[in-house]
């Protein structure tokens, strides 16, 4: 089976990501990315364009669109119209983009994992990230994704091992895998207690630099709102923390690092109640803004 995915730089969701979703649901398919020719109403041009990449003319074309019969005709194919009024399955790409959360039940697990809205809580050591992440998840009635790196750190300390780059790559992949699994089973919104963009800074903290490979892994992260926890609260030792002396400097690292991502962010300070109130409002505003995929 061949699948053609049209690529246009103006599309919100990159073609490469859409290809990954299709490949995940249909492992045996040959998924090709083809350029948009910018001629939406030209069935003759699209027929030629499709056959150029397929290398053959299809026998049958199934579609739910007005353009389907003409497109099929110019490829010399039979056309079968499938539920054009959307009565059997009341969903389409256009409808889904108007409100992705309302369309959630019609999305496949891989698409859910990719599109779930994410509030990511980050910050230096002992600044209340986990407390805030859990409280926000409860307030929004959504799942939260714990920080994998903490459990990994406990394992490192238990055997006296030293940190290496491979440890950070492993943490990053584990965090992303865990996050994707929670996102796929969510109702469209999750709260993340850190992500691999933050792992870049922890690699810098312990090994002195962020490697290109770590940056490449982190570039795959999705975040719709970052929340940076303030460092004005007292440092609390929990048995594994060792960064009190660098905590304020790391807070500045986070401010600069997250600002460079271009993702909206807020900085929260004060009591747990004050932090939660500011974060919850920002999260609800983000959800309303991002549930429409333009």
């Amino acid at each position: 089976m061949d699948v053609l995915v049209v690529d246009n730089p103006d599309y919100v969701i990159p073609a490469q990501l859409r290809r990954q979703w299709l490949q995940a649901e249909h492992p045996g398919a040959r998924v090709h990315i083809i350029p948009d020719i910018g001629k939406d109403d030209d069935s003759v041009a699209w027929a030629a364009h499709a056959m150029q990449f397929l290398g053959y003319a299809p026998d049958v074309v199934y579609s739910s669109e007005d353009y389907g019969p003409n497109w099929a005709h110019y490829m010399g194919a039979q056309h079968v119209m499938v539920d054009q009024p959307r009565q059997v399955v009341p969903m389409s790409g256009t409808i889904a983009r108007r409100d992705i959360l309302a369309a959630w039940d019609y999305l496949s697990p891989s698409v859910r994992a990719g599109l779930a809205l994410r509030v990511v809580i980050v910050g230096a050591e002992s600044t209340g990230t986990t407390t805030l992440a859990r409280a926000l998840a409860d307030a929004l009635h959504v799942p939260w994704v714990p920080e994998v790196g903490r459990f990994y750190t406990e394992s490192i300390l238990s055997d006296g091992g030293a940190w290496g780059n491979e440890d950070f790559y492993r943490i990053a992949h584990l965090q992303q895998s865990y996050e994707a699994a929670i996102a796929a089973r969510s109702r469209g919104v999750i709260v993340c207690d850190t992500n691999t963009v933050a792992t870049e800074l922890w690699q810098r903290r312990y090994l002195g630099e962020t490697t290109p490979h770590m940056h490449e892994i982190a570039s795959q992260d999705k975040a719709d709102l970052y929340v940076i926890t303030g460092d004005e609260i007292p440092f609390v030792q929990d048995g594994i923390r060792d960064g009190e002396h660098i905590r304020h400097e790391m807070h500045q690292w986070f401010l600069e690092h997250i600002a460079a991502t271009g993702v909206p962010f807020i900085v929260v300070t004060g009591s747990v109640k004050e932090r939660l109130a500011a974060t919850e409002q920002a999260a609800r505003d983000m959800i309303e803004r991002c549930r429409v995929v333009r």
Side-chain angles (χ1 to χ4, degrees):
M1 176 173 66
D2 289 287
V3 179
L4 303 181
V5 177
V6 177
D7 185 23
N8 185 311
D10 292 332
Y11 291 168
V12 173
I13 304 174
Q16 182 63 39
L17 185 55
R18 288 180 282 131
R19 175 164 66 180
Q20 291 175 11
W21 294 341
L22 284 164
Q23 203 75 73
E25 298 302 318
H26 306 283
R30 295 179 295 272
V31 185
H32 312 272
I33 295 177
I34 68 173
D36 188 353
I37 59 175
K39 301 177 180 179
D40 290 351
D41 299 321
D42 192 338
S43 293
V44 175
W46 273 106
H49 191 53
M51 289 189 291
Q52 175 187 349
F53 283 89
L54 287 173
Y56 61 85
D59 298 311
V60 183
V61 170
Y62 296 84
S63 83
S64 304
E65 309 295 340
D66 291 336
Y67 63 75
N70 281 339
W71 185 49
H73 170 75
Y74 290 116
M75 290 190 290
Q78 176 187 352
H79 181 264
V80 178
M81 185 65 77
V82 181
D83 190 26
Q84 186 176 28
R86 306 303 201 275
Q87 293 177 339
V88 177
V89 179
M91 186 50 55
S92 69
T94 301
I95 296 172
R97 288 192 297 273
R98 289 178 189 151
D99 189 341
I100 198 66
L101 300 185
W104 204 248
D105 289 338
Y106 295 94
L107 304 181
S108 65
S110 56
V111 177
R112 291 181 183 184
L115 289 184
L117 303 179
R118 289 154 165 83
V119 182
V120 184
I121 316 294
V122 297
E125 273 190 325
S126 190
T127 56
T129 57
T130 300
T131 298
L132 181 57
R134 297 184 73 145
L136 179 64
D138 286 344
L140 297 177
H141 305 292
V142 302
W144 74 293
V145 184
E147 179 187 5
V148 172
R150 178 176 178 82
F151 305 112
Y152 197 95
T153 300
E154 291 176 352
S155 298
I156 287 284
L157 294 176
S158 69
D159 69 1
W163 287 103
N165 285 323
E166 291 299 323
D167 293 305
F168 287 95
Y169 304 151
R170 198 168 292 117
I171 288 170
H173 288 305
L174 286 169
Q175 191 73 46
Q176 288 178 334
S177 178
Y178 194 5
E179 181 181 309
I182 299 299
R185 60 178 296 169
S186 74
R187 298 301 307 163
V189 180
I190 61 174
V191 175
C192 304
D193 181 8
T194 201
N195 67 358
T196 59
V197 169
T199 306
E200 292 182 280
L201 287 185
W202 293 110
Q203 183 189 40
R204 175 183 170 188
R205 155 74 172 87
Y206 285 102
L207 299 181
E209 66 172 353
T210 295
T211 62
H213 184 52
M214 184 70 244
H215 183 68
E216 180 184 354
I217 297 171
S219 70
Q220 304 303 311
D221 271 6
K222 179 182 188 294
D224 300 283
L225 173 68
Y226 278 109
V227 178
I228 303 174
T229 47
D231 64 340
E232 85 288 358
I233 59 178
F235 185 89
V236 177
Q237 180 54 258
D238 65 354
I240 68 171
R241 291 171 177 156
D242 65 354
E244 182 174 9
H245 66 290
I246 199 176
R247 186 169 68 136
H248 298 311
E249 182 179 356
M250 282 207 72
H251 178 67
Q252 293 302 314
W253 288 5
F254 272 105
L255 291 175
E256 296 167 3
H257 194 58
I258 297 305
T261 68
V263 176
F265 73 92
I266 62 170
V267 179
V268 293
T269 58
S271 67
V272 173
K273 184 177 180 180
E274 290 169 330
R275 291 176 174 216
L276 176 58
T279 303
E280 184 179 354
Q281 184 60 58
R284 292 190 184 280
D285 290 344
M286 178 276 291
I287 292 168
E288 288 307 306
R289 182 177 68 252
C290 294
R291 66 190 302 158
V292 177
V293 182
R294 293 182 173 85

